[in-house]
Amino acid sequence: MSELSKPKEDLQDPGEAQGLEEEQLLGAEGGEAAPPSASSPPVSSSATEEALPQEALNKMVANMVKFLLRKYQTKEPTSDAELLNAVLRDNQEHYPVVFRQAVECVLLVFGVDVKEVDPRKHIYIMVPTLGLTCDAMQRGGQGLPKAGLLVVVLSVILQNRDRGPEEEIWGALNKMGVYVGREHSIFGEPRELLTQVWVRDGYLEYRQVPDSAPARYEFLWGPRAFAETSKGKFTEAFLLRVKQRALRAFRLLSAEAEGEEEEGA
């Protein structure tokens, strides 16, 4: 069983992106720039992206995501040469599009930023996005990173004027395939994660809306979120990409993980 198989015009309404599901994952339309934290790999690109079946492309992206996550967990760098030889092998002509989409998936779903530290040799390191260290606090940093989901929740709170009604939070996560009471292949049971783990760790506050009858609840940024990152970083560096692409990234990797679970059953 693979590692992934373990158990308004804003982010408030990511349903507006549902019509984009049939497009290339993460907006890989011809000519789109690579993420700002990772340079385009030095492999000549061709018009293979359109000819490559979507299922095959998704599989290659998922395999590269798993490889990058292993490097993140072991705190090891990687390179274009290693990714080409270890992940794609006989499909190296597809490296530019697979690399670009894998970097976006790792960032949006898992909250891991791929940064190039040696432009000449194209060597990369993986670091927590926006300074959030929540993954290091969970089981000694083991298991799949969950900071990407935390970024989405914190973003929804910002989009609701710093107070995220519970129904808005779950509405956004439902459209990404994350449901209360349903074990997620990447994030586990989300209610426990949001209302207990991240509240205990200080990333979120979860409280009853004052004077609400019947009782309603809302999420706010917790003190640790303010200590490790800032609203400005979200607005400037992340919110646009979350709004446009997170829905597709979450659904792709969830589908890949569920498919592998079925194959291993």
Side-chain angles (χ1 to χ4, degrees):
M1 182 178 295
S2 76
E3 188 174 6
L4 284 179
S5 299
K6 298 177 183 177
K8 314 163 178 173
E9 187 184 351
D10 54 34
L11 189 59
Q12 284 178 264
D13 187 14
E16 68 181 13
Q18 288 182 340
L20 301 176
E21 287 184 66
E22 295 180 358
E23 298 178 7
Q24 291 286 336
L25 170 70
L26 302 173
E29 294 81 11
E32 182 177 341
S37 59
S39 68
S40 298
V43 181
S44 60
S45 182
S46 63
T48 58
E49 184 173 345
E50 291 77 7
L52 184 65
Q54 189 65 44
E55 183 177 355
L57 174 60
N58 289 351
K59 189 69 175 179
M60 292 179 195
V61 171
N63 287 338
M64 187 169 289
V65 166
K66 286 183 279 189
F67 187 86
L68 290 171
L69 289 177
R70 285 196 294 271
K71 289 293 184 177
Y72 173 69
Q73 291 168 328
T74 58
K75 296 180 171 60
E76 296 176 336
T78 189
S79 64
D80 284 332
E82 183 176 39
L83 290 168
L84 280 163
N85 294 326
V87 180
L88 293 186
R89 299 186 183 90
D90 298 329
N91 297 286
Q92 296 189 3
E93 69 274 17
H94 302 301
Y95 183 76
V97 60
V98 173
F99 177 83
R100 183 173 69 244
Q101 295 188 17
V103 167
E104 289 286 357
C105 275
V106 168
L107 175 63
L108 295 173
V109 177
F110 299 101
V112 175
D113 208 353
V114 180
K115 291 185 175 292
E116 186 173 52
V117 293
D118 188 335
R120 186 173 63 86
K121 296 182 179 179
H122 298 282
I123 296 175
Y124 309 93
I125 61 171
M126 276 59 70
V127 298
T129 189
L130 298 173
L132 296 169
T133 64
C134 59
D135 293 318
M137 301 174 64
Q138 307 300 323
R139 290 177 294 173
Q142 298 302 308
L144 291 170
K146 297 177 175 61
L149 190 69
L150 177 58
V151 168
V152 172
V153 174
L154 294 174
S155 298
V156 173
I157 294 171
L158 285 181
Q159 290 293 295
N160 282 274
R161 299 181 179 180
D162 299 332
R163 298 171 63 175
E166 185 172 29
E167 59 271 20
E168 294 285 348
I169 299 292
W170 295 121
L173 298 189
N174 287 352
K175 291 169 183 175
M176 294 177 179
V178 180
Y179 300 94
V180 172
R182 181 184 301 180
E183 189 79 8
H184 191 273
S185 57
I186 296 171
F187 304 111
E189 205 294 299
R191 175 174 286 281
E192 179 183 358
L193 183 62
L194 269 66
T195 65
Q196 297 182 37
V197 176
W198 284 340
V199 169
R200 182 189 65 227
D201 293 343
Y203 287 103
L204 296 174
E205 290 185 16
Y206 179 64
R207 69 182 189 187
Q208 182 177 339
V209 176
D211 303 321
S212 60
R216 291 182 295 108
Y217 292 84
E218 62 186 3
F219 289 91
L220 293 82
W221 278 41
R224 193 178 187 95
F226 283 109
E228 292 185 352
T229 189
S230 69
K231 297 177 183 179
K233 287 182 180 179
F234 271 69
T235 302
E236 295 170 8
F238 208 91
L239 192 54
L240 180 61
R241 280 197 290 174
V242 169
K243 178 176 66 177
Q244 293 177 337
R245 301 175 177 189
L247 177 64
R248 286 171 284 169
F250 273 73
R251 285 186 167 177
L252 169 83
L253 292 185
S254 295
E256 286 293 327
E258 290 170 3
E260 290 175 1
E261 285 181 345
E262 292 176 0
E263 290 176 4

